[in-house]
Amino acid sequence: MLKITFTLISAFLMLMWFGPQHKNSGTKKQSASYTRVDSLPNASSWPAELKITHFAGPNLTPSPACLAVAPNGDVFVGVDMIGSLGKDPGKGRIVKLVDSDNDGKVDKHSVFAMADNPRGIIAKGDQVFVLHTTFSQETKKASGMDLVVFEDKDRDGIADGPSKPLIQNISSPKFLQSRGTDHATNGIRMGIDGWIYIAVGDFGFHDAVDRSGKKMTMLGGGIVRVRPDGTEMEVYTHGMRNIYDVAIDPYMNIFTRGNTNDGGGWNIRFSNQIQSGEYGYPVLFQHFTDEIIPAMVDLGGGSGTGALFMDDSSWPEKYNRVPMMADWGRSQLFIHRITPDNATFKQKDEEFIKLSQITDLDIDGAGRLYLSAWAGAGYSGNPSKGFVVRAVPQNWTYKAYPDIKKASVKQLVTLLKSGSAVARLDAQQELLTRPAKQSAKAVWKIAADKNLPLYARVAGIFTYAQITGADGVTNLLQLVADNDTREFALRALTDRKGNLKNVPIEPFLKGLQDASPRVQIAATIGLGRLGRVESAQALLQVKVPASFVPPAKGVEGPHATPNSAIVPPHIAVRSLVSLHAVDACVAAIGTENSTIALWALRYMHDPKAVNGLISAYQQVKDEASKKQILTTLSRLYKKEADYDGSWWWSTRPDSHGPYYKAITWESSPAIKAILTQEYNKSDAAGKQFFADLNSRHRMEIAELGDGEVAAVKEEVKVDLDKIRNKKGQVGESSIEDVMLAMAKINGDPALGKTLFTRQGCVACHSVTKGETMKGPFMGQIGSIMNREQIAESILKPNASISQGFASVVIDAKGGKTYMGFITQESASKVVMRDITGQLYTIKTSDIVSRKELEDSMMPSGLASALSYEEFASLITFLSQQKK
């Protein structure tokens, strides 16, 4: 997981892995007073209303990748001494920490279980769920990633035996073996609906299998969910780059912190994840942004890690009921103030707790928040780095959490109404183990009680739905009549596909016309899950806003600009595709619902769809409709190749879209025929329209021309060997002496800017968005690293290699050899930049062999010729780059 060192290159590895930021967009410190300390034994700053104490150090929790806290306060930490790029098994474990006297210090500890590369933990009763990398005992190579469950029924702090797998192969083993877990599957969290939600990185997976034997493949990242018994695995959202965790609120709103476009700064984006939504990475989010749900904000450079929705009434109101998002790159825990925006949200972010390379956070049933920090443990773990802290409000007092196993149904129901999300979920899960008749009756009273807070009623609804299954439909339908609970009742009715037999369609059709946008979305999702194609006519009536416009040619679209108006038609389209409503969509062409019908048909690679489009084209008269149909047909000319787990698009993929590994299919000849026929009839302006379609959708139909012109820029050529061999004050000193000197010398940033060019940095780095992106982008480095970290990264470039910028040697046909780093990669070509800045394009069909080297392309000794004053000027200039 965490590829964490203080090298400049390693910082960008984290940025590209978790997702960075090149500006501070909206991020600001609170006006409240903060407690600050000079070093990082625990935290460097936090609000004065909180008390933060050191809980555990590297002697117990070195290299902590993740953590989870049981409702009673037992802390489970995932120790990862393999790290993100390591490949040797036998170094991971789950450590259990107990504070038995509640003084904020560990009293007991045990190695709960061995698990390599732990990436997510949930502690629930006697069960501990863990997501981790698996290794072959024979080859010692990574064989996949599994979601497993350990049990500790005797509660001795040690798992009773081997784990039981719930999902196997939920990350592609090929890339776990070649790269490690840097883009693999990550955090897990349970919602009040009883599902386990899994943050899947953009390695994706092929043929993951759950306990029912269901197999599933996902190209790229997103959220997958599964029941706690390992059944009913399904995709929840798709199109994320490398999310590390999810935050889930009491109403099942889900939030993530993910990455943006590669090569352009690797920014963090904060998103509301809406079920069935498509978020577009990497093929839609730049040039097809009309088709995605955009993020709420682009946060600039950083590296998103753990996440939690804080919902605990023992905390101050100003820090309660908010998503909290950890950012390793900024060593910062952020709060996002969310406000409703129709069916989604807008946000305002602010700094909260500063912690050295924070990795994860979780809270117990008594209101104690625990946070883990990597603290410079490096790409492959470090036995002397890493810690856990505890945070509580200043006026907090410990209240013993009940033994849930000994609680009566009446006591559990009381907990289900509490102000703690942890307690509500814990009570729910225990109620599911009790006699169904008694618990269902008690829970129903909560769901139906209009005098209770909505969060308690929602907990009651989802608990009741899980207890009763298909038998609970009649009562849940009663709650559809209640304005406050309609959204959640509709959602609960279709939440489990095995319970849909007796669910009527009428409440969902009526919900499409509801005054509440949130009810509309719940109804739309429900119709897609019900699978009844007769609902297509109603879905086609969802209005498409004027903002449904593709970006101009060559322009990156608004992928991080809130657009709540696009959500209803987007979800309606996803439901139409789920229903495979080809006939209804074709019939709607040329009507007032033509736009949404054609939008949905873009994803229906079915001969019936193609034939219907061609027929409709021949019947419609107006030119605008004809162009819409031709655009849809051109989009259908190719489709995404089936994913088999043998390839990955890399950290810097071709993001042009609309497909990554595009192939033709059985209806491609018919599409080509009508496109070329109409092209030949066209005048010059008409021919340009077809050429642009050919370019935009990458059809590669020679007869249609090509509207795309590649711009070639001259790059700076630098003889780095001459620079390396020069001697100077820096080169004659030890690193320690240089670092001490840098702390005392401010330097001149203007001189530093000159040195940035003179020392050859421009060969592989750019500092402004207008320049060609080369190696790690330096235009935001000052917002991620301080002067000391920047200095160390230049002096020790080989300490780690930045993701996407490892040296690669390619042997090609004709006896040609290329060495450099990959700047762009697609299914058909590789674009490489060598050490002098020269750019090469190599066809994948010409590649004979390809090998990644262990040494950085950034030579050591680049600063050797500089004086202390010059080196200080260079790092000061870089530290001021915070765009």
Side-chain angles (χ1 to χ4, degrees):
M1 170 206 81
L2 297 175
K3 343 175 174 351
I4 303 170
T5 75
F6 287 125
T7 69
L8 182 59
I9 303 298
S10 68
F12 276 83
L13 172 53
M14 287 297 299
L15 292 181
M16 289 184 290
W17 174 40
F18 290 130
Q21 327 164 191
H22 70 266
K23 58 186 178 184
N24 289 329
S25 164
T27 299
K28 64 178 184 180
K29 296 179 181 177
Q30 293 206 94
S31 58
S33 59
Y34 271 64
T35 299
R36 299 181 182 278
V37 294
D38 294 331
S39 59
L40 289 173
N42 41 57
S44 61
S45 71
W46 59 90
E49 296 96 329
L50 302 184
K51 180 181 180 181
I52 294 187
T53 55
H54 184 75
F55 186 71
N59 59 318
L60 298 179
T61 58
S63 308
C66 54
L67 65 75
V69 188
N72 69 351
D74 293 345
V75 181
F76 294 84
V77 181
V79 171
D80 184 14
M81 296 299 294
I82 297 178
S84 59
L85 300 183
K87 301 178 179 66
D88 298 324
K91 298 179 180 179
R93 58 188 180 271
I94 308 299
V95 178
K96 181 178 180 180
L97 308 175
V98 179
D99 176 11
S100 55
D101 59 4
N102 310 305
D103 65 351
K105 299 177 183 178
V106 176
D107 301 314
K108 301 176 183 178
H109 67 274
S110 59
V111 175
F112 179 79
M114 301 302 294
D116 281 318
N117 280 138
R119 279 298 172 275
I121 309 174
I122 296 172
K124 181 180 79 71
D126 297 334
Q127 295 181 314
V128 177
F129 299 85
V130 179
L131 179 70
H132 71 100
T133 304
T134 59
F135 286 81
S136 166
Q137 293 184 353
E138 291 76 23
T139 67
K140 306 303 180 184
K141 292 183 178 181
S143 55
M145 291 192 81
D146 290 356
L147 174 65
V148 304
V149 61
F150 293 95
E151 289 188 331
D152 181 17
K153 292 186 176 180
D154 58 9
R155 302 190 183 188
D156 64 352
I158 300 174
D160 295 339
S163 64
K164 298 177 182 178
L166 301 180
I167 299 179
Q168 294 172 284
N169 306 320
I170 197 165
S171 190
S172 299
K174 178 175 181 178
F175 306 104
L176 294 170
Q177 293 172 9
S178 63
R179 296 185 56 88
T181 61
D182 60 342
H183 277 245
T185 304
N186 300 303
I188 56 177
R189 194 167 289 278
M190 184 178 286
I192 197 64
D193 58 359
W195 291 87
I196 294 175
Y197 289 82
I198 307 168
V200 179
D202 60 313
F203 277 170
F205 55 84
H206 173 67
D207 274 355
V209 58
D210 72 6
R211 288 313 85 205
S212 70
K214 177 181 181 179
K215 289 187 176 182
M216 195 167 75
T217 293
M218 188 162 82
L219 172 61
I223 298 174
V224 167
R225 68 177 189 172
V226 69
R227 300 306 298 179
D229 64 356
T231 62
E232 303 180 50
M233 172 178 62
E234 62 182 34
V235 174
Y236 187 78
T237 61
H238 179 261
M240 303 302 293
R241 183 174 187 258
N242 202 30
I243 53 175
Y244 194 75
D245 204 357
V246 296
I248 309 175
D249 81 358
Y251 311 107
M252 289 310 305
N253 296 300
I254 298 180
F255 304 95
T256 60
R257 202 171 169 89
N259 297 69
T260 184
N261 56 311
D262 297 301
W266 304 283
N267 291 4
I268 284 289
R269 298 183 302 165
F270 178 67
S271 298
N272 175 206
Q273 297 285 296
I274 299 173
Q275 187 172 8
S276 77
E278 171 59 54
Y279 292 78
Y281 181 86
V283 294
L284 299 179
F285 85 108
Q286 285 185 309
H287 304 300
F288 296 83
T289 46
D290 50 323
E291 300 181 30
I292 69 170
I293 297 178
M296 284 183 269
V297 66
D298 183 321
L299 293 163
S303 311
T305 45
L308 169 74
F309 191 93
M310 171 61 77
D311 183 21
D312 191 293
S313 57
S314 69
W315 274 63
E317 185 64 27
K318 66 190 296 185
Y319 304 124
N320 195 22
R321 300 182 183 90
V322 289
M324 294 182 174
M325 298 283 175
D327 193 297
W328 172 90
R330 293 177 180 246
S331 293
Q332 185 74 56
L333 180 64
F334 286 92
I335 281 176
H336 294 268
R337 305 285 180 191
I338 52 173
T339 53
D341 181 19
N342 292 316
T344 181
F345 300 90
K346 291 183 179 179
Q347 74 84 50
K348 188 175 182 181
D349 52 285
E350 60 188 50
E351 294 178 358
F352 182 42
I353 297 173
K354 194 166 185 64
L355 198 69
S356 178
Q357 296 177 324
I358 181 172
T359 58
D360 207 358
L361 67 158
D362 202 10
I363 191 170
D364 70 7
R368 293 173 289 190
L369 178 68
Y370 293 86
L371 306 95
S372 57
W374 194 256
Y379 290 145
S380 300
N382 188 319
S384 62
K385 299 286 186 180
F387 58 83
V388 176
V389 298
R390 190 193 77 169
V392 294
Q394 287 285 5
N395 60 355
W396 177 88
T397 56
Y398 175 73
K399 295 180 181 178
Y401 190 79
D403 186 339
I404 209 79
K405 292 291 184 183
K406 297 179 180 179
S408 66
V409 168
K410 183 177 180 180
Q411 290 170 324
L412 291 172
V413 166
T414 299
L415 272 181
L416 197 62
K417 297 183 287 186
S418 79
S420 162
V422 170
R424 295 195 298 272
L425 180 60
D426 194 33
Q428 176 196 81
Q429 293 298 302
E430 181 60 27
L431 282 164
L432 297 180
T433 70
R434 302 300 175 90
K437 187 174 182 180
Q438 180 187 9
S439 57
K441 183 179 179 180
V443 167
W444 173 251
K445 289 182 179 179
I446 295 177
D449 190 344
K450 296 184 178 182
N451 294 316
L452 288 176
L454 184 58
Y455 63 76
R457 297 187 70 189
V458 171
I461 289 170
F462 283 113
T463 307
Y464 181 79
Q466 292 175 74
I467 293 171
T468 60
D471 295 332
V473 169
T474 301
N475 272 349
L476 288 173
L477 286 171
Q478 294 180 34
L479 296 179
V480 174
D482 185 332
N483 288 337
D484 292 335
T485 56
R486 183 174 301 124
E487 169 193 346
F488 311 103
L490 289 173
R491 179 162 180 162
L493 282 164
T494 57
D495 201 39
R496 308 277 295 275
K497 288 190 173 181
N499 297 334
L500 300 179
K501 183 178 179 180
N502 298 320
V503 178
I505 195 173
E506 289 77 17
F508 296 87
L509 295 174
K510 186 177 180 180
L512 291 180
Q513 307 302 320
D514 198 89
S516 165
R518 294 184 60 86
V519 171
Q520 295 171 23
I521 295 302
T524 306
I525 294 169
L527 288 170
R529 294 180 67 77
L530 282 170
R532 298 170 196 171
V533 75
E534 61 266 30
S535 65
Q537 293 295 339
L539 291 168
L540 284 164
Q541 294 175 36
V542 176
K543 300 303 179 185
V544 179
S547 60
F548 181 67
V549 177
K553 183 179 178 180
V555 175
E556 184 173 298
H559 54 76
T561 301
N563 183 8
S564 61
I566 205 65
V567 173
H570 178 99
I571 298 300
V573 165
R574 302 320 305 167
S575 288
L576 286 165
V577 173
S578 179
L579 295 171
H580 198 66
V582 174
D583 293 336
C585 289
V586 168
I589 298 172
T591 72
E592 62 180 357
N593 303 322
S594 185
T595 298
I596 193 170
L598 289 169
W599 181 359
L601 284 166
R602 296 178 190 185
Y603 317 114
M604 299 182 188
H605 287 83
D606 185 314
K608 283 202 308 179
V610 173
N611 293 337
L613 285 162
I614 293 173
S615 177
Y617 179 78
Q618 293 166 346
Q619 294 175 31
V620 299
K621 303 300 181 183
D622 67 287
E623 287 303 311
S625 294
K626 283 183 171 292
K627 283 189 174 182
Q628 285 183 322
I629 294 170
L630 290 172
T631 299
T632 306
L633 281 167
S634 70
R635 177 63 172 272
L636 290 171
Y637 178 70
K638 288 187 176 181
K639 69 176 185 177
E640 194 72 66
D642 292 336
Y643 184 55
D644 61 5
S646 67
W647 58 272
W648 175 55
W649 41 48
S650 84
T651 59
R652 307 184 77 179
D654 179 347
S655 53
H656 180 284
Y659 308 108
Y660 182 75
K661 198 169 186 178
I663 59 171
T664 54
W665 59 293
E666 61 181 289
S667 290
S668 296
I671 296 173
K672 179 179 179 179
I674 190 169
L675 292 178
T676 53
Q677 170 188 301
E678 295 305 302
Y679 173 84
N680 292 330
K681 293 180 184 178
S682 301
D683 57 15
K687 284 182 167 56
Q688 185 61 51
F689 167 75
F690 286 96
D692 288 343
L693 282 182
N694 200 23
S695 173
R696 176 171 170 77
H697 293 148
R698 292 190 167 181
M699 293 185 287
E700 299 177 310
I701 299 175
E703 294 88 337
L704 299 184
D706 186 356
E708 187 171 327
V709 178
V712 179
K713 294 185 178 180
E714 290 294 324
E715 301 299 336
V716 178
K717 307 292 191 303
V718 180
D719 186 344
L720 297 180
D721 284 331
K722 290 183 178 179
I723 298 172
R724 181 181 4 220
N725 294 329
K726 291 181 180 178
K727 301 296 181 181
Q729 192 173 359
V730 170
E732 294 173 356
S733 306
S734 69
I735 290 178
E736 292 76 12
D737 287 341
V738 175
M739 299 300 287
L740 287 171
M742 293 306 101
K744 299 177 182 178
I745 303 172
N746 293 327
D748 177 7
L751 174 59
K753 183 177 181 179
T754 300
L755 291 166
F756 186 82
T757 299
R758 197 178 84 193
Q759 296 306 116
C761 306
V762 292
C764 293
H765 303 288
S766 52
V767 292
T768 64
K769 295 288 287 185
E771 299 175 73
T772 299
M773 292 300 161
K774 309 169 185 177
F777 179 61
M778 295 293 102
Q780 69 207 24
I781 189 62
S783 67
I784 302 160
M785 303 175 72
N786 59 34
R787 291 178 78 254
E788 179 180 335
Q789 293 166 339
I790 293 171
E792 186 175 1
S793 73
I794 296 172
L795 296 171
K796 298 195 299 181
N798 280 322
S800 58
I801 311 297
S802 180
Q803 191 184 106
F805 297 100
S807 300
V808 175
V809 173
I810 290 178
D811 291 325
K813 294 177 181 178
K816 296 179 181 179
T817 299
Y818 305 86
M819 185 173 76
F821 56 81
I822 306 301
T823 63
Q824 188 182 97
E825 185 169 0
S826 71
S828 60
K829 67 180 181 181
V830 169
V831 181
M832 171 183 279
R833 188 179 302 278
D834 70 12
I835 193 65
T836 69
Q838 183 66 45
L839 204 63
Y840 300 94
T841 299
I842 309 161
K843 293 181 179 179
T844 53
S845 58
D846 289 343
I847 296 176
V848 176
S849 66
R850 172 174 169 172
K851 182 180 180 181
E852 190 169 291
L853 303 180
E854 295 183 359
D855 291 335
S856 169
M857 280 189 63
M858 180 176 173
S860 58
L862 288 180
S864 295
L866 302 181
S867 68
Y868 280 170
E869 184 69 33
E870 290 173 325
F871 188 49
S873 298
L874 176 60
I875 63 175
T876 296
F877 164 72
L878 290 171
S879 71
Q880 292 179 356
Q881 305 308 303
K882 300 180 180 181
K883 300 169 185 174

